Amino acid sequence: GQNIDQPTEMTATEGAIVQINCTYQTSGFNGLFWYQQHAGEAPTFLSYNVLDGLEEKGRFSSFLSRSKGYSYLLLKELQMKDSASYLCAVMDSNYQLIWGAGTKLIIKP
Amino acid sequence: GAVVSQHPSWVICKSGTSVKIECRSLDFQATTMFWYRQFPKQSLMLMATSNEGSKATYEQGVEKDKFLINHASLTLSTLTVTSAHPEDSSFYICSARDTGDGDTGELFFGEGSRLTVL
C-alpha cells in the first residue's frame, strides 16, 4: 500500500529552526510537495522536489532523497505566523497526490 | 502563480437539499481537476478526479451518485452534493493543474468551501 509518514505535532520557539520529516512508500514517484495549511483555510504551496537534493526558498528549504524515500522541510527564523499544519504529499505514477496526515507546528514566544 | 477560484466559500443548507460548488481556473486551462474533502483535524482526502469532457474518476468509498461532478469546460468543474445530510458537513477543496505550456507539476488550490448541513 501507499504510505506517507510525518510527525503529528512539533513545538518550536520563535526565531529558532525546525525540521519536519516525511517518509514515504508509494507506487511510483513524480515528485514530493510540501504545503502549509492554516486552520480553516486551503493549503498553500511551499515546495516541490522531484530530484535529490536541497531546494532553498527564503526561510524555507526542502530536501529529498528518493533512494531513502525521505524528505524534510526546514524552517528557519521561525515566526509566530508559521504556526500551521505542514502537509507532505507525494505524486504517484498515476499523478495522484498521496497526502500525509500533516504535522501541526506550534510556535512559542 | 496560477489562480483557482472556488465558490461559494460558505454554504449552509437544510438536510435533503442539494448544493453546487464551482471550481474555476482563472488564467490557465485544466483538463484535470481534483476534489478533496477535509473533516476537522484530518488531512485532505481525495474524493474524485474530474476530467474535462469525460466521466469523473471516484476514489473508493465515495458515492458517485451523491457527489456529482461535471467538468464541462477546460476552466470549470462543479461538485454537486445531492440530498445533503449533516454527515456531509465538511470543507471541500478543489485543485487544478496547468496542463498547458505552463505545467510545472504544481497543483493550485481553490479557497475551499465550507458546507454545513443542518
Side-chain angles (χ1 to χ4, degrees):
Chain A
Q2 311 208 87
N3 194 50
I4 310 284
D5 284 318
Q6 53 181 129
T8 304
E9 188 173 295
M10 299 182 70
T11 303
T13 305
E14 190 177 15
I17 300 173
V18 71
Q19 177 174 312
I20 303 174
N21 295 324
C22 171
T23 57
Y24 63 90
Q25 290 179 308
T26 57
S27 304
F29 180 82
N30 276 303
L32 185 144
F33 297 78
W34 283 97
Y35 283 84
Q36 179 192 61
Q37 186 179 26
H38 287 99
E41 298 179 13
T44 54
F45 172 80
L46 289 179
S47 67
Y48 171 66
N49 294 66
V50 67
L51 299 176
D52 290 348
L54 186 69
E55 295 274 346
E56 297 188 72
K57 207 184 271 188
R59 294 190 297 115
F60 294 3
S61 303
S62 57
F63 172 83
L64 174 67
S65 169
R66 287 172 297 171
S67 62
K68 295 181 179 178
Y70 167 71
S71 171
Y72 67 72
L73 179 69
L74 191 72
L75 295 79
K76 304 175 185 175
E77 301 169 17
L78 286 170
Q79 302 175 9
M80 297 303 292
K81 67 179 182 180
D82 297 330
S83 292
S85 286
Y86 290 85
L87 304 171
C88 172
V90 173
M91 185 168 283
D92 69 9
S93 56
N94 294 317
Y95 293 95
Q96 301 289 344
L97 269 187
I98 313 299
W99 292 87
T103 299
K104 183 178 180 181
L105 178 62
I106 300 169
I107 310 296
K108 294 184 176 180
Chain B
V3 178
V4 173
S5 176
Q6 194 171 335
H7 176 81
S9 300
W10 297 83
V11 58
I12 300 173
C13 69
K14 293 182 179 180
S15 185
T17 60
S18 295
V19 175
K20 180 187 283 188
I21 301 170
E22 293 186 349
C23 180
R24 293 180 185 272
S25 56
L26 296 186
D27 51 1
F28 66 98
Q29 294 183 334
T31 55
T32 302
M33 292 185 176
F34 302 95
W35 286 96
Y36 298 85
R37 180 169 54 183
Q38 185 180 33
F39 292 108
K41 299 184 180 180
Q42 296 185 25
S43 184
L44 289 173
M45 289 176 50
L46 179 65
M47 297 175 65
T49 301
S50 171
N51 303 297
E52 187 269 334
S54 64
K55 292 182 179 179
T57 305
Y58 289 82
E59 296 300 301
Q60 192 172 11
V62 179
E63 299 174 61
K64 62 181 180 181
D65 294 331
K66 180 169 182 64
F67 299 99
L68 300 178
I69 291 173
N70 185 359
H71 196 151
S73 77
L74 286 172
T75 59
L76 174 64
S77 175
T78 60
L79 168 69
T80 302
V81 183
T82 63
S83 187
H85 291 284
E87 57 265 31
D88 298 323
S89 298
S90 187
F91 196 40
Y92 293 86
I93 306 173
C94 72
S95 71
R97 182 175 160 186
D98 182 352
T99 48
D101 292 339
D103 188 1
T104 62
E106 181 179 351
L107 282 182
F108 302 98
F109 285 87
E111 305 93 331
S113 300
R114 184 166 297 284
L115 171 63
T116 301
V117 184
L118 303 177

